[in-house]
Amino acid sequence: MTRLTRRLALATAAVSLATSGLLLTPAQAQSPIVIKFSHVVANDTPKGKAADFFAKRAAELTKGRVKVEVYPNSQLYKDKEEMEALQLGSVQMLAPSLSKFAPLGVKEFEAFDLPFIFDDYTDLHAVTQGPVGAKLLKKLESRGITGLAYWDNGFKVMSANKPLKSLEDYKGLKMRIQSSKVLDAQMRAIGALPQVLAFSETYQALQTGVVDGTENPPSNLYTQKMHEVQKHLSVTNHGYLGYAVVVNKKFWDGLPADLRAQLTQAMAEATKVANDSAFKDNQDALAKVKASGKTTIYEPSKGDRFLLKKAMFPVHKQMASRIGDETLQDIYKATHFDPTKM
Ligand code: LMR
């Protein structure tokens, strides 16, 4: 490169930086505000994609004044640690599954774990995108956490190394669950033995036989390669798994108002990315599991599903006082669900 072409190249780079809005004052260039966003799943999942999109849009909208560093796949923290890290301010943002908020003392979130509480995404959105969802996020404030959004994942399948067709098949199976008392009760209701394990430990626990099976939406199962160590999968769609995106409240409140507004905008767009891709990602993951030939997929009949629902449904009543009857009734009302008709 001649001196002239080098100068031209430098000038072009400067112009493109300036027009893209990334040319910062020296102070800004030295110290963008860093948001560490930790999560436990793969990049190629609804949550992973939305987190990466949020990082990109946050940089664009704040013109580089905020840098979001995404740490996927439990790289930085595992399930339990990440909640503590958020409260301590070691990370600023997380998107834990709704099943993981009770240990903070906000047990109402376990309502999302109740088996058969949502028939489909329409039911789910009636809660997450309405006043009930907003009220639940508000409850996090007293724990030093601000809830920014709900991100969808999907409905869970059951997997094991034996066919899961009838209720009998679950008896005595050691099933990995998330740290939720509702999920514990749900597994016990069908005679399984629930075992709480961090998401990052699940693959190995399945591989080594520490547990026999698990439940998760297909996107999580496939991207963690759990199908390689699970010979059978039953598309029970018996419960839902999704997320609340949360931020350390002190950090969030301390941001300049213009940045907070831009990040709120980036979050709204990222929420759309998560929710628009969730259904398809799970469908695709199931198709990929099928194509792998490693796992036999069973689609329960209406009758099989009804029997599963009947066995699991008493968990609603059993857990009502833990979750709070008001929250439960609010959800039933939002989804037009009549529990007496069960
Ligand atoms: C799990 O632990 O199974 C899920 O919460 C993982 C996730 O974040 O989707």
Side-chain angles (χ1 to χ4, degrees):
M1 204 185 258
T2 66
R3 210 182 288 168
L4 182 65
T5 50
R6 195 175 314 134
R7 258 201 226 145
L8 266 174
L10 282 174
T12 315
V15 168
S16 86
L17 266 180
T19 51
S20 69
L22 289 173
L23 201 56
L24 307 170
T25 64
Q28 285 167 340
Q30 273 165 19
S31 55
I33 294 169
V34 173
I35 295 181
K36 288 196 171 128
F37 188 154
S38 169
H39 70 78
V40 299
V41 297
N43 291 319
D44 193 18
T45 57
K47 175 160 70 176
K49 287 181 199 169
D52 291 346
F53 179 89
F54 174 71
K56 182 174 142 280
R57 281 302 279 151
E60 285 166 6
L61 291 168
T62 66
K63 305 200 188 329
R65 287 168 66 202
V66 172
K67 181 166 185 264
V68 179
E69 292 173 358
V70 181
Y71 297 91
N73 260 324
S74 310
Q75 238 171 53
L76 206 54
Y77 296 109
K78 295 199 233 170
D79 294 330
K80 216 173 116 213
E81 304 159 356
E82 67 173 20
M83 282 291 198
E84 286 158 14
L86 183 74
Q87 287 181 298
L88 292 171
S90 316
V91 286
Q92 289 69 39
M93 200 172 275
L94 308 173
S97 89
L98 299 164
S99 322
K100 293 175 185 167
F101 286 90
L104 290 179
V106 199
K107 298 177 188 148
E108 291 88 338
F109 276 84
E110 287 187 355
F112 288 98
D113 294 331
L114 285 167
F116 296 95
I117 194 156
F118 305 117
D119 273 345
D120 48 31
Y121 284 100
T122 308
D123 273 358
L124 170 74
H125 293 160
V127 175
T128 54
Q129 297 175 9
V132 185
K135 195 163 135 191
L136 286 175
L137 289 183
K138 267 264 166 274
K139 290 186 190 284
L140 297 171
E141 302 263 321
S142 64
R143 301 296 188 277
I145 292 173
T146 299
L148 297 180
Y150 290 95
W151 284 357
D152 293 354
N153 190 341
F155 291 84
K156 293 177 286 186
V157 300
M158 296 276 204
S159 66
N161 276 323
K162 60 183 268 199
L164 298 172
K165 293 187 175 173
S166 74
L167 275 174
E168 275 300 304
D169 296 330
Y170 293 94
K171 290 239 156 68
L173 279 190
K174 281 179 277 163
M175 297 293 278
R176 179 268 168 176
I177 55 162
Q178 305 175 80
S179 62
S180 155
K181 290 281 184 278
V182 168
L183 296 179
D184 183 283
Q186 170 208 269
M187 288 300 184
R188 289 185 196 282
I190 52 171
L193 305 170
Q195 199 159 322
V196 174
L197 283 175
F199 186 61
S200 55
E201 289 159 8
T202 305
Y203 175 89
Q204 208 185 358
L206 290 168
Q207 188 185 37
T208 56
V210 168
V211 288
D212 302 308
T214 190
E215 57 163 18
N216 236 301
S219 64
N220 274 349
L221 180 115
Y222 178 73
T223 53
Q224 296 297 320
K225 300 188 174 26
M226 290 181 204
H227 62 292
E228 292 182 0
V229 288
Q230 295 278 267
K231 290 197 175 68
H232 294 271
L233 183 162
S234 186
V235 190
T236 46
N237 291 329
H238 60 282
Y240 171 74
L241 189 153
Y243 312 103
V245 188
V246 290
V247 66
N248 179 293
K249 179 168 163 29
K250 208 161 147 204
F251 168 81
W252 186 248
D253 292 347
L255 285 172
D258 60 333
L259 289 187
R260 212 168 34 239
Q262 287 151 356
L263 292 175
T264 302
Q265 163 77 21
M267 183 53 63
E269 293 177 26
T271 299
K272 200 163 157 22
V273 168
N275 297 0
D276 284 354
S277 66
F279 177 74
K280 190 168 178 304
D281 279 6
N282 281 301
Q283 294 281 93
D284 289 353
L286 203 53
K288 285 177 188 160
V289 171
K290 204 176 221 165
S292 76
K294 293 185 194 302
T295 311
T296 305
I297 296 179
Y298 176 67
E299 301 267 356
S301 68
K302 239 177 157 184
D304 289 341
R305 227 177 143 253
F306 180 73
L307 291 178
L308 192 61
K309 185 170 179 179
K310 211 164 147 220
M312 288 179 167
F313 199 75
V315 172
H316 284 231
K317 217 174 196 166
Q318 202 181 324
M319 289 288 134
S321 63
R322 175 176 170 87
I323 290 163
D325 206 44
E326 194 189 322
T327 301
L328 202 52
Q329 296 307 327
D330 281 351
I331 295 179
Y332 287 159
K333 218 177 281 164
T335 56
H336 308 291
F337 179 74
D338 181 355
T340 60
K341 294 235 169 82
M342 199 17 239

